[in-house]
Amino acid sequence: MAADHDTTPVTTSSTPLPTYEALVAEGASVPTEGWDFSWFEGRATEARPSWGYAVSMAERLSRASAALDVQTGGGEVLDFALARAGRRPPLTVATEGWPPNVAKATALLAPRGVAVVAAADDDDPLPFADGAFDLVVSRHPVRPHWDGIARVLRSGGTYFAQHVGPASAFELVEYFLGPQPEEARGARDPGRERAGAEAAGLEVVELRAERLRMEFHDIGAVVHFLRKVVWMVPGFTVEAYEPQLRALHERIRSDGPFVAHSTRHLIDARKPARPTAR
C-alpha cells in the first residue's frame, strides 16, 4: 500500500462524498494482477518494516551469481531490486503460480533477461536442479517449501525473504469472518518457520518480526484489498458480504479509518557449506 503517512481525504461542503455504491464499484473494478499497490495512495496506508526488504534484496543480488525469486507476483519487487543493484546475476529466474501474474511478470522481467517459470504452489514447486542457486529470495510467499529451498541452494547459499506473519490484518479478517480459531491465528508463526527451516538443514542467521499499522480510509479500498489478497477472506465477493460492507462504510464515515495491523518477519537462512576435502 501507500507509505505510512496521513492521507485522510479532505472534503468541504461543496465536495460531496462519494456514495457507498460508487466506492464499492470502483474497488470492484480495479485489476488485481501483480503486487503494485499504488492504487491505494490516499485511500489506505500500511507502515513498512524497518529493515527495507527490497533495498536489502538489491544488495544481495549485486553479489549473487545465480538467483531465484520464488512466487514473484507481478515481478515488481524483483524488477525494483535489480534496477537498484545495477546488475543482474548471470543466472536469474523467477517462479509464479497464478497465470495472470505469470504473464505480467514475464512482460516486466523479460527485458531484464529474467526467465519466469510457471510453478504451482505444491509440495515442491521448484523445478530446478539441486544446488542451482547461491541466492533464493521471496517476498510474501503463500508458504515456504523448506525442503525445496534447501535442495536448490548451493552449499553456503542463502535464503533471504520477507514473510507475512501470524494473524496479519486479522482485525479485518475477523470483521468479516468472526473470531478465528487459534490454529488460524498462529499460522505463519516465525518460530515455527525457524523450526521448519532448521529441519530442512538450513541455519537461520537472522529472524526479525514487526507488527505494523494499517488504515483503510474508504470502503472501496477494503473491497480492492480483499479482492487482491484473496486468502484473507476466501471466496470474498461484494454480493456475499454486502451487509458487512455497508455497515463498515458507515462506520468509516462516522468514526474515521478502519485500523488493522499487519505482521511481517525477515528471515535470513544459510545452507551450511560442505567441509572442503583434504
Side-chain angles (χ1 to χ4, degrees), residues 78-113:
L78 179 57
D79 181 66
F80 168 88
L82 287 171
R84 185 172 181 100
R87 69 179 288 271
R88 174 180 60 80
L91 173 63
T92 307
V93 184
T95 69
E96 176 53 35
W98 191 40
N101 274 351
V102 173
K104 186 178 178 73
T106 298
L108 182 63
L109 296 174
R112 292 197 181 277

mmCIF file of all heavy atoms in Angstrom, residues 78-113:
data_model
loop_
_atom_site.group_PDB
_atom_site.id
_atom_site.type_symbol
_atom_site.label_atom_id
_atom_site.label_comp_id
_atom_site.label_asym_id
_atom_site.label_seq_id
_atom_site.Cartn_x
_atom_site.Cartn_y
_atom_site.Cartn_z
ATOM 1 N N LEU A 78 11.217 -7.767 -7.629
ATOM 2 C CA LEU A 78 12.472 -8.184 -8.265
ATOM 3 C C LEU A 78 12.938 -7.138 -9.265
ATOM 4 O O LEU A 78 14.139 -6.827 -9.340
ATOM 5 C CB LEU A 78 12.283 -9.536 -8.947
ATOM 6 C CG LEU A 78 13.511 -10.097 -9.674
ATOM 7 C CD1 LEU A 78 14.700 -10.235 -8.716
ATOM 8 C CD2 LEU A 78 13.179 -11.435 -10.321
ATOM 9 N N ASP A 79 12.032 -6.570 -10.034
ATOM 10 C CA ASP A 79 12.394 -5.535 -11.002
ATOM 11 C C ASP A 79 13.028 -4.336 -10.306
ATOM 12 O O ASP A 79 14.071 -3.825 -10.744
ATOM 13 C CB ASP A 79 11.145 -5.101 -11.774
ATOM 14 C CG ASP A 79 11.454 -4.053 -12.822
ATOM 15 O OD1 ASP A 79 12.167 -4.354 -13.779
ATOM 16 O OD2 ASP A 79 10.967 -2.910 -12.670
ATOM 17 N N PHE A 80 12.416 -3.892 -9.204
ATOM 18 C CA PHE A 80 12.974 -2.772 -8.436
ATOM 19 C C PHE A 80 14.368 -3.119 -7.911
ATOM 20 O O PHE A 80 15.306 -2.316 -8.004
ATOM 21 C CB PHE A 80 12.051 -2.428 -7.273
ATOM 22 C CG PHE A 80 12.655 -1.488 -6.270
ATOM 23 C CD1 PHE A 80 12.545 -0.113 -6.438
ATOM 24 C CD2 PHE A 80 13.354 -1.973 -5.161
ATOM 25 C CE1 PHE A 80 13.122 0.767 -5.515
ATOM 26 C CE2 PHE A 80 13.934 -1.106 -4.239
ATOM 27 C CZ PHE A 80 13.815 0.264 -4.420
ATOM 28 N N ALA A 81 14.495 -4.317 -7.327
ATOM 29 C CA ALA A 81 15.767 -4.691 -6.718
ATOM 30 C C ALA A 81 16.878 -4.814 -7.758
ATOM 31 O O ALA A 81 18.018 -4.411 -7.510
ATOM 32 C CB ALA A 81 15.604 -6.003 -5.945
ATOM 33 N N LEU A 82 16.553 -5.361 -8.932
ATOM 34 C CA LEU A 82 17.574 -5.472 -9.988
ATOM 35 C C LEU A 82 18.006 -4.094 -10.478
ATOM 36 O O LEU A 82 19.186 -3.855 -10.724
ATOM 37 C CB LEU A 82 17.036 -6.302 -11.146
ATOM 38 C CG LEU A 82 16.910 -7.808 -10.890
ATOM 39 C CD1 LEU A 82 16.160 -8.477 -12.035
ATOM 40 C CD2 LEU A 82 18.274 -8.456 -10.695
ATOM 41 N N ALA A 83 17.039 -3.183 -10.611
ATOM 42 C CA ALA A 83 17.383 -1.827 -11.046
ATOM 43 C C ALA A 83 18.290 -1.159 -10.025
ATOM 44 O O ALA A 83 19.266 -0.488 -10.389
ATOM 45 C CB ALA A 83 16.108 -1.010 -11.248
ATOM 46 N N ARG A 84 17.999 -1.353 -8.753
ATOM 47 C CA ARG A 84 18.809 -0.727 -7.709
ATOM 48 C C ARG A 84 20.185 -1.389 -7.621
ATOM 49 O O ARG A 84 21.187 -0.713 -7.363
ATOM 50 C CB ARG A 84 18.091 -0.800 -6.370
ATOM 51 C CG ARG A 84 18.835 -0.055 -5.270
ATOM 52 C CD ARG A 84 18.034 0.039 -4.007
ATOM 53 N NE ARG A 84 18.751 0.769 -2.986
ATOM 54 C CZ ARG A 84 18.553 2.033 -2.659
ATOM 55 N NH1 ARG A 84 17.641 2.738 -3.297
ATOM 56 N NH2 ARG A 84 19.259 2.613 -1.708
ATOM 57 N N ALA A 85 20.233 -2.697 -7.821
ATOM 58 C CA ALA A 85 21.508 -3.411 -7.751
ATOM 59 C C ALA A 85 22.457 -2.983 -8.872
ATOM 60 O O ALA A 85 23.677 -3.044 -8.726
ATOM 61 C CB ALA A 85 21.271 -4.911 -7.826
ATOM 62 N N GLY A 86 21.872 -2.559 -9.998
ATOM 63 C CA GLY A 86 22.703 -2.125 -11.119
ATOM 64 C C GLY A 86 23.260 -3.263 -11.936
ATOM 65 O O GLY A 86 24.046 -3.041 -12.876
ATOM 66 N N ARG A 87 22.882 -4.493 -11.609
ATOM 67 C CA ARG A 87 23.341 -5.651 -12.362
ATOM 68 C C ARG A 87 22.356 -6.786 -12.173
ATOM 69 O O ARG A 87 21.599 -6.806 -11.212
ATOM 70 C CB ARG A 87 24.730 -6.124 -11.904
ATOM 71 C CG ARG A 87 24.709 -6.733 -10.515
ATOM 72 C CD ARG A 87 26.062 -7.233 -10.045
ATOM 73 N NE ARG A 87 26.529 -8.430 -10.709
ATOM 74 C CZ ARG A 87 26.251 -9.669 -10.294
ATOM 75 N NH1 ARG A 87 25.481 -9.883 -9.234
ATOM 76 N NH2 ARG A 87 26.742 -10.711 -10.927
ATOM 77 N N ARG A 88 22.391 -7.727 -13.105
ATOM 78 C CA ARG A 88 21.612 -8.953 -12.967
ATOM 79 C C ARG A 88 22.585 -10.108 -12.769
ATOM 80 O O ARG A 88 23.549 -10.238 -13.540
ATOM 81 C CB ARG A 88 20.762 -9.183 -14.209
ATOM 82 C CG ARG A 88 20.024 -10.526 -14.203
ATOM 83 C CD ARG A 88 19.189 -10.718 -15.448
ATOM 84 N NE ARG A 88 19.969 -10.700 -16.677
ATOM 85 C CZ ARG A 88 20.667 -11.725 -17.149
ATOM 86 N NH1 ARG A 88 20.723 -12.876 -16.474
ATOM 87 N NH2 ARG A 88 21.336 -11.615 -18.281
ATOM 88 N N PRO A 89 22.378 -10.934 -11.743
ATOM 89 C CA PRO A 89 23.221 -12.123 -11.645
ATOM 90 C C PRO A 89 23.176 -12.892 -12.961
ATOM 91 O O PRO A 89 22.133 -12.936 -13.621
ATOM 92 C CB PRO A 89 22.562 -12.922 -10.509
ATOM 93 C CG PRO A 89 21.895 -11.872 -9.659
ATOM 94 C CD PRO A 89 21.406 -10.836 -10.627
ATOM 95 N N PRO A 90 24.268 -13.481 -13.397
ATOM 96 C CA PRO A 90 24.316 -14.170 -14.691
ATOM 97 C C PRO A 90 23.148 -15.127 -14.919
ATOM 98 O O PRO A 90 22.646 -15.246 -16.032
ATOM 99 C CB PRO A 90 25.659 -14.900 -14.646
ATOM 100 C CG PRO A 90 26.510 -14.029 -13.769
ATOM 101 C CD PRO A 90 25.580 -13.490 -12.720
ATOM 102 N N LEU A 91 22.717 -15.804 -13.857
ATOM 103 C CA LEU A 91 21.515 -16.631 -13.923
ATOM 104 C C LEU A 91 20.498 -16.041 -12.954
ATOM 105 O O LEU A 91 20.736 -16.011 -11.742
ATOM 106 C CB LEU A 91 21.825 -18.082 -13.547
ATOM 107 C CG LEU A 91 20.602 -19.007 -13.417
ATOM 108 C CD1 LEU A 91 19.876 -19.137 -14.758
ATOM 109 C CD2 LEU A 91 21.006 -20.382 -12.882
ATOM 110 N N THR A 92 19.388 -15.562 -13.473
ATOM 111 C CA THR A 92 18.317 -15.026 -12.632
ATOM 112 C C THR A 92 16.985 -15.563 -13.135
ATOM 113 O O THR A 92 16.643 -15.391 -14.316
ATOM 114 C CB THR A 92 18.287 -13.489 -12.648
ATOM 115 O OG1 THR A 92 19.571 -12.974 -12.311
ATOM 116 C CG2 THR A 92 17.279 -12.965 -11.633
ATOM 117 N N VAL A 93 16.254 -16.226 -12.238
ATOM 118 C CA VAL A 93 14.998 -16.889 -12.583
ATOM 119 C C VAL A 93 13.961 -16.523 -11.534
ATOM 120 O O VAL A 93 14.290 -16.267 -10.367
ATOM 121 C CB VAL A 93 15.182 -18.422 -12.629
ATOM 122 C CG1 VAL A 93 13.898 -19.112 -13.082
ATOM 123 C CG2 VAL A 93 16.327 -18.814 -13.547
ATOM 124 N N ALA A 94 12.694 -16.488 -11.941
ATOM 125 C CA ALA A 94 11.596 -16.259 -11.001
ATOM 126 C C ALA A 94 10.520 -17.313 -11.230
ATOM 127 O O ALA A 94 10.351 -17.813 -12.354
ATOM 128 C CB ALA A 94 11.013 -14.860 -11.193
ATOM 129 N N THR A 95 9.786 -17.647 -10.176
ATOM 130 C CA THR A 95 8.627 -18.539 -10.316
ATOM 131 C C THR A 95 7.362 -17.792 -9.911
ATOM 132 O O THR A 95 7.400 -16.850 -9.117
ATOM 133 C CB THR A 95 8.745 -19.795 -9.436
ATOM 134 O OG1 THR A 95 8.642 -19.442 -8.049
ATOM 135 C CG2 THR A 95 10.043 -20.537 -9.685
ATOM 136 N N GLU A 96 6.239 -18.222 -10.472
ATOM 137 C CA GLU A 96 4.926 -17.679 -10.107
ATOM 138 C C GLU A 96 3.861 -18.715 -10.476
ATOM 139 O O GLU A 96 3.986 -19.401 -11.491
ATOM 140 C CB GLU A 96 4.665 -16.353 -10.825
ATOM 141 C CG GLU A 96 3.301 -15.747 -10.597
ATOM 142 C CD GLU A 96 2.922 -15.577 -9.131
ATOM 143 O OE1 GLU A 96 3.827 -15.288 -8.307
ATOM 144 O OE2 GLU A 96 1.733 -15.716 -8.806
ATOM 145 N N GLY A 97 2.823 -18.800 -9.622
ATOM 146 C CA GLY A 97 1.818 -19.820 -9.830
ATOM 147 C C GLY A 97 0.507 -19.351 -10.415
ATOM 148 O O GLY A 97 -0.248 -20.154 -10.971
ATOM 149 N N TRP A 98 0.179 -18.058 -10.302
ATOM 150 C CA TRP A 98 -1.111 -17.561 -10.772
ATOM 151 C C TRP A 98 -0.962 -17.077 -12.211
ATOM 152 O O TRP A 98 -0.171 -16.164 -12.480
ATOM 153 C CB TRP A 98 -1.589 -16.440 -9.856
ATOM 154 C CG TRP A 98 -3.014 -16.034 -10.080
ATOM 155 C CD1 TRP A 98 -4.066 -16.852 -10.330
ATOM 156 C CD2 TRP A 98 -3.537 -14.699 -10.059
ATOM 157 N NE1 TRP A 98 -5.224 -16.119 -10.471
ATOM 158 C CE2 TRP A 98 -4.934 -14.791 -10.312
ATOM 159 C CE3 TRP A 98 -2.969 -13.441 -9.853
ATOM 160 C CZ2 TRP A 98 -5.754 -13.683 -10.365
ATOM 161 C CZ3 TRP A 98 -3.790 -12.328 -9.909
ATOM 162 C CH2 TRP A 98 -5.165 -12.447 -10.153
ATOM 163 N N PRO A 99 -1.676 -17.668 -13.172
ATOM 164 C CA PRO A 99 -1.467 -17.339 -14.591
ATOM 165 C C PRO A 99 -1.479 -15.848 -14.928
ATOM 166 O O PRO A 99 -0.593 -15.401 -15.685
ATOM 167 C CB PRO A 99 -2.599 -18.105 -15.292
ATOM 168 C CG PRO A 99 -2.819 -19.310 -14.417
ATOM 169 C CD PRO A 99 -2.627 -18.789 -13.015
ATOM 170 N N PRO A 100 -2.415 -15.025 -14.419
ATOM 171 C CA PRO A 100 -2.340 -13.600 -14.772
ATOM 172 C C PRO A 100 -1.040 -12.945 -14.312
ATOM 173 O O PRO A 100 -0.502 -12.065 -14.989
ATOM 174 C CB PRO A 100 -3.555 -12.992 -14.053
ATOM 175 C CG PRO A 100 -4.513 -14.125 -13.910
ATOM 176 C CD PRO A 100 -3.650 -15.324 -13.660
ATOM 177 N N ASN A 101 -0.525 -13.387 -13.159
ATOM 178 C CA ASN A 101 0.743 -12.835 -12.688
ATOM 179 C C ASN A 101 1.930 -13.358 -13.494
ATOM 180 O O ASN A 101 2.932 -12.659 -13.661
ATOM 181 C CB ASN A 101 0.951 -13.154 -11.206
ATOM 182 C CG ASN A 101 0.305 -12.132 -10.292
ATOM 183 O OD1 ASN A 101 -0.160 -11.092 -10.743
ATOM 184 N ND2 ASN A 101 0.269 -12.430 -9.010
ATOM 185 N N VAL A 102 1.835 -14.601 -13.969
ATOM 186 C CA VAL A 102 2.910 -15.133 -14.813
ATOM 187 C C VAL A 102 3.083 -14.246 -16.036
ATOM 188 O O VAL A 102 4.205 -13.864 -16.409
ATOM 189 C CB VAL A 102 2.617 -16.585 -15.239
ATOM 190 C CG1 VAL A 102 3.653 -17.061 -16.258
ATOM 191 C CG2 VAL A 102 2.622 -17.513 -14.018
ATOM 192 N N ALA A 103 1.967 -13.889 -16.668
ATOM 193 C CA ALA A 103 2.018 -13.032 -17.856
ATOM 194 C C ALA A 103 2.551 -11.648 -17.521
ATOM 195 O O ALA A 103 3.383 -11.090 -18.240
ATOM 196 C CB ALA A 103 0.632 -12.933 -18.479
ATOM 197 N N LYS A 104 2.089 -11.097 -16.398
ATOM 198 C CA LYS A 104 2.526 -9.754 -16.002
ATOM 199 C C LYS A 104 4.019 -9.741 -15.670
ATOM 200 O O LYS A 104 4.758 -8.847 -16.087
ATOM 201 C CB LYS A 104 1.702 -9.286 -14.800
ATOM 202 C CG LYS A 104 1.953 -7.844 -14.371
ATOM 203 C CD LYS A 104 1.055 -7.472 -13.199
ATOM 204 C CE LYS A 104 1.306 -6.046 -12.720
ATOM 205 N NZ LYS A 104 0.771 -5.046 -13.654
ATOM 206 N N ALA A 105 4.470 -10.753 -14.909
ATOM 207 C CA ALA A 105 5.884 -10.815 -14.534
ATOM 208 C C ALA A 105 6.771 -11.044 -15.750
ATOM 209 O O ALA A 105 7.861 -10.459 -15.858
ATOM 210 C CB ALA A 105 6.101 -11.924 -13.505
ATOM 211 N N THR A 106 6.326 -11.864 -16.672
ATOM 212 C CA THR A 106 7.109 -12.127 -17.885
ATOM 213 C C THR A 106 7.304 -10.840 -18.682
ATOM 214 O O THR A 106 8.417 -10.528 -19.136
ATOM 215 C CB THR A 106 6.417 -13.187 -18.744
ATOM 216 O OG1 THR A 106 6.346 -14.420 -18.000
ATOM 217 C CG2 THR A 106 7.189 -13.422 -20.036
ATOM 218 N N ALA A 107 6.226 -10.070 -18.841
ATOM 219 C CA ALA A 107 6.331 -8.816 -19.601
ATOM 220 C C ALA A 107 7.274 -7.835 -18.923
ATOM 221 O O ALA A 107 8.021 -7.107 -19.593
ATOM 222 C CB ALA A 107 4.940 -8.199 -19.757
ATOM 223 N N LEU A 108 7.269 -7.803 -17.590
ATOM 224 C CA LEU A 108 8.104 -6.856 -16.861
ATOM 225 C C LEU A 108 9.559 -7.295 -16.801
ATOM 226 O O LEU A 108 10.473 -6.466 -16.927
ATOM 227 C CB LEU A 108 7.548 -6.681 -15.439
ATOM 228 C CG LEU A 108 8.265 -5.684 -14.533
ATOM 229 C CD1 LEU A 108 8.170 -4.275 -15.103
ATOM 230 C CD2 LEU A 108 7.681 -5.727 -13.118
ATOM 231 N N LEU A 109 9.790 -8.596 -16.597
ATOM 232 C CA LEU A 109 11.141 -9.072 -16.301
ATOM 233 C C LEU A 109 11.913 -9.561 -17.523
ATOM 234 O O LEU A 109 13.153 -9.594 -17.498
ATOM 235 C CB LEU A 109 11.072 -10.198 -15.262
ATOM 236 C CG LEU A 109 10.542 -9.783 -13.888
ATOM 237 C CD1 LEU A 109 10.379 -11.017 -12.994
ATOM 238 C CD2 LEU A 109 11.459 -8.770 -13.219
ATOM 239 N N ALA A 110 11.210 -9.931 -18.594
ATOM 240 C CA ALA A 110 11.918 -10.426 -19.780
ATOM 241 C C ALA A 110 12.930 -9.413 -20.318
ATOM 242 O O ALA A 110 14.048 -9.796 -20.703
ATOM 243 C CB ALA A 110 10.918 -10.826 -20.863
ATOM 244 N N PRO A 111 12.613 -8.111 -20.356
ATOM 245 C CA PRO A 111 13.624 -7.152 -20.832
ATOM 246 C C PRO A 111 14.884 -7.120 -19.977
ATOM 247 O O PRO A 111 15.944 -6.665 -20.443
ATOM 248 C CB PRO A 111 12.880 -5.812 -20.771
ATOM 249 C CG PRO A 111 11.429 -6.169 -20.892
ATOM 250 C CD PRO A 111 11.303 -7.457 -20.149
ATOM 251 N N ARG A 112 14.803 -7.595 -18.755
ATOM 252 C CA ARG A 112 15.996 -7.665 -17.890
ATOM 253 C C ARG A 112 16.719 -8.996 -18.035
ATOM 254 O O ARG A 112 17.703 -9.250 -17.331
ATOM 255 C CB ARG A 112 15.593 -7.458 -16.421
ATOM 256 C CG ARG A 112 15.110 -6.050 -16.118
ATOM 257 C CD ARG A 112 15.128 -5.794 -14.615
ATOM 258 N NE ARG A 112 14.654 -4.467 -14.293
ATOM 259 C CZ ARG A 112 15.406 -3.358 -14.333
ATOM 260 N NH1 ARG A 112 16.674 -3.441 -14.704
ATOM 261 N NH2 ARG A 112 14.893 -2.187 -14.023
ATOM 262 N N GLY A 113 16.207 -9.866 -18.901
ATOM 263 C CA GLY A 113 16.854 -11.159 -19.088
ATOM 264 C C GLY A 113 16.503 -12.176 -18.030
ATOM 265 O O GLY A 113 17.240 -13.153 -17.835
#
